[in-house]
Amino acid sequence: MRRPPLLGIVLCVTLLQASGCLTPHLTHAQPAPDPAAEAKAELDAANKANSDQEWETAIGHWTRALELYRAQQGSEKRQAICLLGMGMAYRGLQKHAECIAALTEALALLAPLPETEQHRAVCLFFLGQSHYDTGQYEQSMEAFTRAVELYAQMDGAGHSQAETLYNLALSCGELGLYERQVAALEQALELYGAGEDTARQRADCLK
């Protein structure tokens, strides 16, 4: 078999390169995608959509961020933050089953991590609200009780603790636990204090 002339081979390769068919990879190499940067961008987009109350859009971005974080070691807290955001967005859509599932998973991720009291308390607060809205008053009471305990450990969390106590009182009332309801309301009143900015909350407690 005749070998093609060397000059012909060189010419063919030159033409293919010129047409883009054999463009060397190094010439137009794209930088490798950065999963951490991609996840951060999705997280920022989710937060923006959430602030605009575009719940479905926010959930989509949080879901993609969660998938990216799951592929990264040591990202449990970021995963939990994504799930917390998804839970709040699902609550905005009145999708309580999805909300409860997302927040429960977030709590499981946060449980062994240090310095996550605030995130866990927020998860428990919204979990309690969704349980309450679906008539699961015992689960609601348990979630609010755990949130109160966490807020009590934090400096400057008195208002959040009071809000949670008020919601705890509502759950207790639904269960006929009136003494516990009154105790929670009294504690909430004490935490609200006498400031003008808490007048409405104190009025709610006194109803």
Side-chain angles (χ1 to χ4, degrees):
M1 180 180 297
R2 291 184 58 191
R3 298 176 61 187
L6 181 60
L7 179 62
I9 294 175
V10 173
L11 180 60
C12 288
V13 170
T14 301
L15 290 172
L16 288 169
Q17 286 179 338
S19 65
C21 296
L22 287 180
T23 303
H25 291 295
L26 293 177
T27 303
H28 298 285
Q30 297 296 321
D34 182 354
E38 290 183 31
K40 177 65 165 54
E42 292 289 352
L43 200 58
D44 290 342
N47 290 331
K48 173 64 168 59
N50 184 65
S51 66
D52 294 336
Q53 297 187 1
E54 297 174 356
W55 312 124
E56 295 283 5
T57 301
I59 289 168
H61 286 298
W62 270 315
T63 300
R64 287 190 288 275
L66 179 61
E67 292 170 353
L68 290 164
Y69 281 130
R70 279 177 170 158
Q72 302 174 34
Q73 291 186 346
S75 66
E76 288 81 6
K77 186 174 181 178
R78 292 185 177 90
Q79 293 176 46
I81 290 171
C82 292
L83 287 161
L84 170 57
M86 291 167 65
M88 290 189 293
Y90 280 128
R91 177 167 167 73
L93 292 169
Q94 298 296 300
K95 294 184 176 181
H96 295 294
E98 291 87 344
C99 171
I100 290 169
L103 294 175
T104 300
E105 187 177 352
L107 284 166
L109 287 167
L110 292 168
L113 301 179
E115 300 180 0
T116 58
E117 291 82 3
Q118 184 175 10
H119 290 89
R120 284 185 284 139
V122 173
C123 281
L124 286 164
F125 179 82
F126 285 106
L127 186 63
Q129 286 194 323
S130 277
H131 280 310
Y132 183 89
D133 289 344
T134 53
Q136 302 175 70
Y137 301 121
E138 289 186 3
Q139 293 92 327
S140 175
M141 183 178 68
E142 179 185 353
F144 287 134
T145 299
R146 291 169 61 194
V148 166
E149 293 170 352
L150 287 169
Y151 280 128
Q153 300 172 23
M154 303 178 213
D155 294 330
H159 190 276
S160 296
Q161 187 180 357
E163 288 285 316
T164 309
L165 281 162
Y166 175 75
N167 283 274
L168 172 60
L170 295 178
S171 298
C172 292
E174 293 291 345
L175 293 168
L177 302 173
Y178 301 119
E179 290 185 5
R180 187 170 179 183
Q181 180 184 34
V182 170
L185 290 171
E186 288 177 344
Q187 190 176 354
L189 278 170
E190 183 178 350
L191 288 166
Y192 279 133
E196 292 183 3
D197 58 335
T198 61
R200 180 188 60 79
Q201 291 91 338
R202 286 183 285 116
D204 288 341
C205 290
L206 291 168
K207 287 181 181 178

